[in-house]
Amino acid sequence: MNERLASRAERLDAYLDDHDVEAVWFARPNSFAWLLGGDNVVDRDSPVGVAAAGYDGDEFHVVTDNIEATRLLHEEVPHEDVRIHQYQWYDGSLASGVATVSPTPAAADFDVPGFADVDAAELRQPLSDDDIDAYRELGRDVASAVERVCRELEPQDLETEVVSGLRVTLGAMGIETPVALVGGSRRAQKYRHYTPKQERLGDYALVSVTAQRDGLYASCTRTVAFDAPDWLESRHEKTMRVETNALAATQRAANDGGTAGDVFDAIRDAYDAVGESDEWLNHHQGGAAGFAGREWFAKPDADDPVLEPMGYAYNPTIEGAKSEDTVLVTGDDVEVLTTTGQWPTQTVTDETGSVELERHGILHIETE
């Protein structure tokens, strides 16, 4: 058994014991990818893939139909460590196929009659060493693609054109983009989720993505200014301060056994400190990231445990401004993953002085 599967088996053995089940199954794409590292998606609109990956305490299994079995065996799963089971496409379903193969009692992350539900998010946290290596590579690639597109922007570009460029650039690197937001100067001030329209960028733009490869998700935002309003720099600096305080609070919570609610309290205090007390009400603040865009959100009284090593992506906003990156938090380090070293940055320190980060600033592009 390879090292990745061995680490997954250790967590799943504990799950089987704790929940008194004989097997656990995953067909949702991010959890399938977490378990085996492969892709079980054909139809991107479906919340469940074309195959389910399972573990019974002894072996890893994949159940799929005869259309997909050979392709998955050759391209998506470590075949030497996984047993493939197939049913005829016209004579069964994924749920019935799993029910036929699996010992019981069992749990699944999709609807299998008689099976218990499994919260895969708990199993996906914290990240393993292999996960971290892949995350670093993904973070660099996402930042590189987004920044390349941003450097070519012009005030007359349409938001929809920019999104097309993002998707093509990221797609060429094997990265999907479930979230791609581009807001020109009018709409970025009006909406926190600036879904792209056929409107010109104007004086400045916010460009945000959440991108996925091999099940891992990385988020980042970049700000590009052509003729920036006077307030943009100040508001952007404030969002960077809130974000840095959120990350410092995350590290403290991870070391002290804290919760997402503890991190939220620090975020709210940070908004107070920059004189923008009510801005947190207008948008979620982000949270843990990894094998989901957000594994949990920082919000009042949230009891999700804060773990390390783990990815975190906070996205504080103040009207018309936003700061966001995906960051690896460990017990003794805070490492920005979505970075290239080629974008303007500003050093920001949290209120306690414990975390100092280079935060991505505003790229100013001169126009004729």
Side-chain angles (χ1 to χ4, degrees):
M1 184 180 298
N2 66 39
E3 185 175 341
R4 177 197 181 92
L5 289 183
S7 70
R8 301 310 195 233
E10 184 175 354
R11 290 191 193 182
L12 293 175
D13 283 333
Y15 179 87
L16 298 181
D17 289 342
D18 291 345
H19 293 79
D20 197 25
V21 294
E22 297 296 321
V24 60
W25 294 86
F26 305 95
R28 295 185 179 275
N30 55 338
S31 293
F32 185 98
W34 168 78
L35 185 58
L36 297 182
D39 185 356
N40 70 339
V41 176
V42 171
D43 179 359
R44 293 293 169 194
D45 283 340
S46 174
V48 174
V50 297
Y55 178 70
D56 63 7
D58 295 313
E59 294 181 290
F60 289 89
H61 303 263
V62 167
V63 173
T64 190
D65 63 28
N66 63 301
I67 301 171
E68 311 297 342
T70 300
R71 178 181 63 83
L72 292 175
L73 183 65
H74 290 169
E75 298 181 345
E76 301 295 346
V77 302
H79 58 273
E80 67 275 9
D81 294 316
V82 177
R83 290 185 62 189
I84 302 285
H85 309 267
Q86 61 179 298
Y87 58 90
Q88 295 300 307
W89 66 267
Y90 56 84
D91 187 28
S93 67
L94 188 58
S96 64
V98 167
T100 299
V101 169
S102 180
T104 56
D109 72 345
F110 70 114
D111 186 21
V112 180
F115 283 29
D117 295 331
V118 55
D119 181 1
E122 295 180 3
L123 290 165
R124 297 192 298 255
Q125 302 176 70
L127 300 173
S128 70
D129 290 343
D130 286 344
D131 297 334
I132 291 169
D133 289 341
Y135 221 167
R136 287 189 173 115
E137 184 176 353
L138 173 64
R140 286 192 298 268
D141 287 348
V142 169
S144 174
V146 171
E147 292 175 11
R148 274 186 283 153
V149 170
C150 285
R151 289 183 183 280
E152 300 300 320
L153 297 184
E154 297 179 353
Q156 65 269 25
D157 290 339
L158 298 176
E159 294 169 352
T160 49
E161 292 174 338
V162 179
V163 163
S164 294
L166 289 169
R167 293 192 187 280
V168 168
T169 306
L170 287 159
M173 305 169 81
I175 301 171
E176 296 185 350
T177 316
V179 179
L181 306 176
V182 175
S185 55
R186 186 188 73 85
R187 297 182 64 254
Q189 295 176 62
K190 192 172 183 179
Y191 308 113
R192 303 298 163 123
H193 282 158
Y194 27 88
T195 54
K197 301 296 181 183
Q198 288 190 312
E199 183 165 326
R200 303 200 184 279
L201 299 181
D203 293 340
Y204 81 100
L206 300 183
V207 177
S208 303
V209 303
T210 295
Q212 181 270 140
R213 183 172 62 198
D214 297 333
L216 284 167
Y217 289 75
S219 301
C220 69
T221 293
R222 295 293 182 267
T223 305
V224 179
F226 311 106
D227 185 15
D230 293 339
W231 48 260
L232 182 60
E233 198 78 43
S234 173
R235 292 183 193 176
H236 186 77
E237 289 179 1
K238 289 178 179 180
T239 63
M240 292 192 296
R241 286 174 59 188
V242 174
E243 184 188 16
T244 302
N245 277 279
L247 291 163
T250 299
Q251 188 178 59
R252 291 195 300 272
N255 287 331
D256 298 340
T259 66
D262 297 327
V263 176
F264 173 79
D265 290 343
I267 292 173
R268 184 164 50 190
D269 290 345
Y271 276 106
D272 289 343
V274 300
E276 302 286 354
S277 297
D278 293 334
E279 284 290 329
W280 69 268
L281 293 165
N282 298 315
H283 189 232
H284 74 75
Q285 302 302 303
F291 285 90
R294 300 292 188 273
E295 294 283 14
W296 52 252
F297 290 92
K299 54 187 177 182
D301 302 319
D303 61 1
D304 308 86
V306 179
L307 303 176
E308 60 84 18
M310 192 63 199
Y312 292 89
Y314 297 106
N315 43 257
T317 62
I318 295 171
E319 185 180 1
K322 181 179 182 181
S323 183
E324 177 186 29
D325 274 299
T326 302
V327 178
L328 175 68
V329 175
T330 66
D332 57 7
D333 194 21
V334 177
E335 175 189 348
V336 180
L337 300 179
T338 45
T339 187
T340 64
Q342 304 299 314
W343 193 267
T345 62
Q346 180 177 329
T347 303
V348 182
T349 305
D350 80 291
E351 298 297 327
T352 70
S354 62
V355 170
E356 181 179 280
L357 288 177
E358 291 299 312
R359 299 308 307 118
H360 291 105
I362 300 172
L363 177 68
H364 292 271
I365 297 178
E366 293 186 4
T367 59
E368 296 180 359

